[in-house]
Amino acid sequence: MKLVLGQTLAFDRDPFAGAPEDAARWERQGAVAVEAGVIVAVGSADALRARFREAEVVDHGAGLILPGFVDAHVHYPQTGIIASWGKRLIDWLNSYTFPEEARFGDADYARAQADRYFDLVLSHGTTTTVSYCTIHPESVDAYFGAAAARGMRVYGGKTCMDRNAPDTLRDTAQAAYDQSKALLEKWHGAGRAGYVVTPRFAPTSTPEQLEALGALWAEHPDCLMQTHLSEQVEEIDWVMGMFPEARDYLDIYDRFGLLGEGALMGHAIHLSDRERDRLREVGASLIHCPTSNTFIGSGLFDTGGLKAEGQRVGLATDTGGGSSFSMLRTMAAAYEVGQLRGRPLHPAELLWLATAGSADAILAGDRIGRLVEGYEADLVVLDLASTPGIAQRAERAEDIWEAVFPTIMMGDDRAVVATYVAGEKV
Ligand code: GUN
Ligand code: ZN
């Protein structure tokens, strides 16, 4: 038994569903009791110290204890090319991304990059990632192997492409199905791993490949499915020229059985009303990637409007189209995008998106993303005064939301004082 002490913020409900400032309970001197990797109690430090007298105590002082961040859309193989200059989506993929992804057929390289990636994200307080790997099964083994070595709950899958990509990054409809199936059988449910059926996006798959992956997902409906939807306007024009029979971009996935609950639609920026209605009707998840959407120049995701109409929304870095490994930096970008759309997101909304919101989006909201008894004990502890600039602003705060907002806007890995995976500090 371990007692982790600090300030705690525990959400009772979705802050988008009412006054955001009332959505969470705050304890100035709170505690999270952890045993065998699971949260057994959340409450005041005094109460839990009295209840668990024998427990080992780890006191983080004024550190803010939150659920570990859940990054709902990343490309771990793009770690090495993050912050590559000057291209929009299709040129960025061809110039930077595909040459780097081609290196992941080398299992040693894939393992080294997976280790580097997980060390980076843990130092930023992220405890769950949902990643595209590359076309190579080696890259999937490297990802899940590195996560298992760290005890992390992660999701991912082999990125399938059989057209509009370099020769070395193309499979076939049959190979995509067979290799994805073999990897799914190997990794899905192994420890804390979850497999995600992963067609990269409509223009890099033939109709035959989309159909094969739709069939695979139908055979394994407890897996997630991830792809990209309506990220850039040039992309949409290109895609619609390739699938003239489809009503819109979303309809392509719909026709091939790649839409439903558990479908994670990355970006989802330029949506028609019909697409929005259909996404909500099936309960798909929309993954907001704000640093990527500004970095690649894609557009402004409508978090406020989509949440108000009842969509499931998660938050993500989209490393390495995104320009950061940090979910703090990602929340800051989400705030700025909200401002540009005339809807400033409240700190409660931002923190919720990075934890429970993303967990709900990946259908894991019953086990991670909340400080609740029975949940897996993945935690991050934040120093709300990690730099002089943040400290001097936080000092003037009159409530917890004003105290945490400078860290959301200006914080990075220096604000992360501890990350716990399954109750163990890493
Ligand atoms: N669309 C298809 N592939 C990618 C990718 O790797 N990154 C981003 N941002 N968009 C994509
Ligand atoms: Zn992506």
Side-chain angles (χ1 to χ4, degrees):
M1 173 76 67
K2 189 184 291 165
L3 272 186
V4 184
L5 307 187
Q7 304 190 63
T8 53
L9 253 181
F11 284 94
D12 295 318
R13 62 165 171 82
D14 181 344
F16 287 90
E21 62 276 11
D22 301 332
R25 269 165 302 132
W26 171 61
E27 292 272 3
R28 178 188 292 282
Q29 290 181 310
V32 180
V34 172
E35 192 167 51
V38 173
I39 296 173
V40 293
V42 181
S44 75
D46 286 347
L48 294 199
R49 270 179 185 273
R51 187 168 149 201
F52 303 108
R53 288 182 195 287
E54 311 289 298
E56 171 200 349
V57 173
V58 188
D59 191 350
H60 291 290
L64 176 66
I65 306 169
L66 295 169
F69 297 132
V70 178
D71 191 341
H73 179 129
V74 313
H75 300 255
Y76 95 83
Q78 296 171 13
T79 299
I81 56 110
I82 192 169
S84 289
W85 186 84
K87 307 280 187 204
R88 288 175 64 79
L89 179 60
I90 306 305
D91 291 340
W92 175 85
L93 285 171
N94 287 316
S95 307
Y96 299 123
T97 308
F98 290 158
E100 177 64 14
E101 291 192 8
R103 301 176 67 180
F104 282 70
D106 173 349
D108 289 336
Y109 185 70
R111 275 194 293 269
Q113 289 302 89
D115 280 333
R116 170 175 285 167
Y117 173 72
F118 283 121
D119 289 347
L120 277 165
V121 297
L122 287 170
S123 74
H124 287 82
T126 297
T127 49
T128 288
T129 55
V130 184
S131 188
Y132 291 66
C133 300
T134 65
I135 197 148
H136 315 95
E138 293 85 345
S139 76
V140 182
D141 288 334
Y143 175 75
F144 284 123
R150 291 163 177 78
M152 297 171 71
R153 171 165 294 287
V154 300
Y155 299 82
K158 169 191 143 79
T159 296
C160 301
M161 298 193 275
D162 66 348
R163 63 168 160 173
N164 292 317
D167 292 352
T168 52
L169 283 181
R170 284 202 308 262
D171 51 14
T172 61
Q174 192 63 44
Y177 177 90
D178 292 343
Q179 292 178 344
S180 299
K181 185 174 161 69
L183 290 162
L184 185 161
E185 284 167 357
K186 179 171 179 183
W187 289 110
H188 188 62
R192 303 183 75 195
Y195 194 81
V196 190
V197 176
T198 307
R200 182 176 212 119
F201 64 158
T204 48
S205 289
T206 58
E208 293 71 31
Q209 183 169 82
L210 294 174
E211 192 174 322
L213 293 174
L216 181 63
W217 192 31
E219 290 156 22
H220 299 276
D222 56 322
C223 290
L224 299 165
M225 190 290 304
Q226 62 184 346
T227 191
H228 297 82
L229 173 68
S230 293
E231 180 176 0
Q232 275 199 352
V233 287
E234 305 94 302
E235 170 209 6
I236 297 169
D237 289 344
W238 184 45
V239 169
M240 293 319 293
M242 244 178 270
F243 294 90
E245 68 289 359
R247 269 180 288 195
D248 45 42
Y249 199 156
L250 184 69
D251 191 42
I252 301 169
Y253 296 127
D254 209 348
R255 283 165 181 248
F256 293 107
L258 295 166
L259 182 64
E261 200 174 71
L264 314 181
M265 296 296 179
H267 304 277
I269 301 168
H270 308 284
L271 301 175
S272 67
D273 290 347
R274 194 207 77 85
E275 289 175 299
R276 289 169 74 131
D277 289 346
R278 182 72 182 138
L279 284 161
R280 191 187 48 226
E281 179 180 84
V282 303
S285 300
L286 312 187
I287 311 299
H288 182 19
C289 306
T291 73
S292 172
N293 296 342
T294 52
F295 183 79
I296 307 187
S298 303
L300 306 177
F301 183 86
D302 182 17
T303 309
L306 290 161
K307 282 294 297 175
E309 72 191 33
Q311 305 276 5
R312 222 189 284 242
V313 175
L315 187 65
T317 59
D318 190 30
T319 298
S323 55
S324 177
F325 297 97
S326 168
M327 289 299 282
L328 290 170
R329 177 74 203 102
T330 302
M331 286 181 249
Y335 178 78
E336 290 163 352
V337 169
Q339 281 287 54
L340 288 167
R341 294 197 63 110
R343 167 66 164 86
L345 300 178
H346 189 275
E349 294 173 326
L350 295 165
L351 289 172
W352 185 89
L353 283 172
T355 54
S358 276
D360 289 352
I362 64 169
L363 309 186
D366 57 346
R367 50 175 78 186
I368 56 167
R370 287 175 171 82
L371 291 187
V372 169
E373 192 184 317
Y375 275 55
E376 296 171 6
D378 296 336
L379 309 171
V380 59
V381 185
L382 298 178
D383 174 2
L384 300 184
S386 61
T387 68
I390 294 172
Q392 62 86 35
R393 179 62 186 90
E395 222 164 68
R396 296 188 182 203
E398 295 189 350
D399 63 25
I400 181 63
W401 302 120
E402 199 182 348
V404 78
F405 192 54
T407 290
I408 290 175
M409 291 310 301
M410 298 190 278
D412 53 30
D413 49 333
R414 289 170 293 178
V416 175
V417 292
T419 305
Y420 291 83
V421 172
E424 297 301 323
K425 194 171 161 196
V426 295

